[in-house]
Amino acid sequence: LYDYDITEIPGADNLHDAQGIIAQAQQKLAAIYHSDEAAILVNGTTTGIHSAILGSCAPGAQLLVPINCHRAVFGALGLGRIEAVFITPEIDKNLGFGRSISVATVHQALAKHPPIAGMILTNPSYYGTTSDLAQIAEILHEQGKFLIVDEAHGAHLRFSENLPQDALSAGADVVIQSTHKILGSLTQSSLLHIQGSRIDRQKIKSYLSLLQSSSPSYPLMISVEESVDAAHERGEAVFNMIEAAHREFCQNQNGQQAVTLYDGNGLANGYDRSKWLFQTRGITGTEVAARLSAEYGIQCEMSGDNYLLAMTGMGTSREDLVRITQAIGAINKTIRVDSTAEKEAKRHTQLWAGIDFTAAVQTEIPLWEALAWENRDQIVLEQAVGQLAGDFIIPYPPGIPVLLPGSRISPEKVVYLNDLLDQQVAVVGIDAKRTVTIIKKEPVIMEKNHQGQLIVIEGVDGSG
């Protein structure tokens, strides 16, 4: 690997001014994905998302943002002083995650907020669910607006007709993909694609040069090219095999078992069956994940109270899938699902169902002001009810914020976060002592009266 860790010597080209071998590689990658241009990323999909948003939205512009976007989206909003118009995805009633964004929701938001410049959308979701990208893109384009798609978990969709449609085929203007997640490039390497003329390509590329390292890693760049080459050559066979195994498992499972595989039923736009998402009853997903690791040598991506997620990719073999299906079958034989398990599953559903997640990410002061706020304090989570969060609060994975800097911390959200912590879910922004950062002194809100004089309408104590 060290043999390829060179710098911009003659013949090696320059990522930020590609005219030689890097330019040739990017042209090939664009041709494989059928985009107009492709840019290799060495600072991850996060940098691609930041550059796409900052290059498409001026300060003060409005961007349509589903609340189940990755933390990178909210970071871009803060960096660019961009106003989010939040929309809520359709929620899976059993597992509590955002499945998809409905076309009707997009229609309503655009009608209510005509100044919206465009939209960012995560597709597929971390759990493999999808939205109707083609119709959403058409709606936006009819009004002269752009669509950016965070396709971090979908770099493989292009290579199998048995999987949901990829974002570029659906008409997205900018698409960012984590080639390291499923295709197997080195961690931190990704791709950004641009097509059409609705966005300023040069501005996005200028931000890429600004935000990425000026000393890009050649091993990272090489790994992107090689992983996409491999997927282009063998991806269809690999992902068709994975999709068929997933479908077979779903057809053969008993719905009364403790651990069942999510099959995406009811999803009109298809389900990415490379994601093996299991729902659990009578045993927690965390316990199942621990058993899979200790007893079968299988490491899952994520787990929680009533679910666990196993990822597949270019390196997945038929033998791997046989192992996990046999392991789940063996674990199911040891677990008895009774009324207590059903009650616990219902309790968990009621817990997240009682939270207004859209309200939780609304900020009472602009996000960029909250990020720069100097007067902060650390207090125990239980005592933070009613306070304004001073930092992002993000369960990880999947990296979707549940509180933003400047968001009001509700009693329901404290219960929800404590429940996650009790399940040993990592929550960024809460330390080992369960303390959080808050904005210590809230701003004084001022407004002009009918005589044009500035008056205080709310002080730090909340009084009028």
Side-chain angles (χ1 to χ4, degrees):
L1 187 65
Y2 291 106
D3 291 340
Y4 298 99
D5 191 19
I6 58 175
T7 185
E8 293 94 337
I9 58 176
D13 206 0
N14 184 333
L15 179 62
H16 302 299
D17 185 25
Q19 300 180 24
I21 58 173
I22 295 176
Q24 293 168 16
Q26 292 184 146
Q27 289 164 7
K28 178 181 68 174
L29 293 167
I32 289 173
Y33 279 101
H34 297 185
S35 63
D36 291 346
E37 292 189 56
I40 296 173
L41 307 178
V42 295
N43 282 57
T45 294
T46 291
T47 296
I49 290 173
H50 286 177
S51 299
I53 293 176
L54 294 173
S56 303
C57 298
Q62 290 186 346
L63 183 67
L64 192 57
V65 180
I67 64 170
N68 64 327
C69 282
H70 186 266
R71 62 183 298 178
V73 172
F74 299 93
L77 298 176
L79 289 171
R81 299 192 174 197
I82 298 161
E83 181 185 347
V85 175
F86 289 118
I87 54 176
T88 305
E90 296 175 344
I91 303 296
D92 183 275
K93 295 181 179 180
N94 294 318
L95 295 176
F97 66 86
R99 296 199 310 179
S100 60
I101 297 296
S102 71
V103 172
T105 298
V106 175
H107 261 305
Q108 292 166 5
L110 294 177
K112 189 175 181 180
H113 303 273
I116 285 173
M119 177 181 183
I120 181 148
L121 175 62
T122 302
N123 195 87
S125 73
Y126 190 73
Y127 308 92
T129 56
T130 62
S131 302
D132 190 342
L133 284 185
Q135 194 167 352
I136 290 173
E138 183 178 351
I139 292 168
L140 290 162
H141 293 165
E142 285 176 350
Q143 299 186 30
K145 306 177 191 300
F146 60 80
L147 174 62
I148 300 170
V149 175
D150 172 4
E151 200 175 52
H153 285 271
H156 60 301
L157 297 181
R158 162 68 65 177
F159 307 109
S160 173
E161 293 184 355
N162 294 338
L163 297 177
Q165 184 181 31
D166 67 281
L168 287 164
S169 297
D173 301 284
V174 185
V175 177
I176 310 98
Q177 303 165 324
S178 295
T179 50
H180 68 90
K181 282 182 166 54
I182 296 177
L183 299 190
S185 66
L186 293 176
T187 298
Q188 194 176 309
S189 58
S190 296
L191 270 176
L192 179 144
H193 297 275
I194 303 174
Q195 64 181 359
S197 57
R198 294 179 186 86
I199 42 80
D200 188 333
R201 297 187 188 185
Q202 190 53 50
K203 192 174 179 182
I204 290 176
K205 288 188 276 189
S206 295
Y207 272 106
L208 284 175
S209 295
L210 177 69
L211 297 174
Q212 293 201 101
S213 170
S214 59
S215 301
S217 163
Y218 278 77
L220 290 179
M221 291 190 284
I222 291 168
S223 76
V224 171
E225 183 180 8
E226 290 192 346
S227 68
V228 174
D229 280 345
H232 186 49
E233 295 168 4
R234 308 190 309 274
E236 182 177 13
V238 171
F239 291 108
N240 284 353
M241 177 266 294
I242 293 170
E243 190 271 347
H246 187 289
R247 193 178 295 277
E248 181 182 1
F249 189 103
C250 290
Q251 290 172 346
N252 294 334
Q253 69 185 355
N254 178 352
Q256 300 304 312
Q257 293 170 329
V259 185
T260 54
L261 185 59
Y262 187 87
D263 61 7
N265 281 343
L267 290 172
N269 307 298
Y271 180 63
D272 177 11
R273 293 179 183 270
S274 74
K275 311 295 190 299
W276 287 52
L277 175 64
F278 294 94
Q279 183 173 352
T280 66
R281 297 176 299 170
I283 184 173
T284 68
T286 303
E287 290 174 308
V288 175
R291 289 187 59 177
L292 287 173
S293 177
E295 300 172 23
Y296 301 95
I298 297 171
Q299 179 63 46
C300 288
E301 169 78 2
M302 177 180 69
S303 63
D305 186 47
N306 64 339
Y307 67 90
L308 70 152
L309 176 64
M311 300 281 284
T312 66
M314 277 297 296
T316 301
S317 67
R318 193 176 302 276
E319 290 73 24
D320 293 331
L321 299 175
V322 170
R323 284 177 62 208
I324 193 168
T325 55
Q326 290 180 343
I328 293 297
I331 291 173
N332 269 330
K333 292 178 180 179
T334 68
I335 308 299
R336 179 173 174 269
V337 179
D338 55 20
S339 58
T340 301
E342 298 291 353
K343 289 179 181 178
E344 178 60 22
K346 186 176 181 180
R347 182 200 69 81
H348 183 81
T349 300
Q350 291 172 338
L351 178 64
W352 62 258
I355 301 172
D356 185 344
F357 283 94
T358 304
V361 295
Q362 299 285 356
T363 60
E364 297 186 20
I365 54 177
L367 178 58
W368 49 92
E369 288 186 19
L371 283 168
W373 204 269
E374 294 185 1
N375 199 0
R376 301 164 181 260
D377 200 0
Q378 292 276 330
I379 64 173
V380 177
L381 179 61
E382 292 286 353
Q383 299 173 1
V385 173
Q387 301 290 335
L388 293 183
D391 202 351
F392 291 96
I393 307 294
I394 311 171
Y396 222 99
I400 299 170
V402 295
L403 283 169
L404 306 182
S407 297
R408 186 74 62 179
I409 303 173
S410 69
E412 295 80 11
K413 188 52 65 74
V414 169
V415 173
Y416 173 77
L417 290 169
N418 273 321
D419 191 65
L420 291 181
L421 294 168
D422 289 343
Q423 299 167 40
Q424 300 181 333
V425 173
V427 181
V428 175
I430 304 178
D431 67 16
K433 297 180 180 179
R434 298 199 181 187
T435 61
V436 296
T437 301
I438 61 165
I439 290 175
K440 191 173 181 180
K441 183 178 180 181
E442 297 182 16
V444 174
I445 302 172
M446 306 190 75
E447 194 173 275
K448 287 185 178 180
N449 63 12
H450 64 281
Q451 295 177 332
Q453 299 171 317
L454 283 175
I455 58 170
V456 176
I457 60 171
E458 184 176 345
V460 296
D461 61 352
S463 60

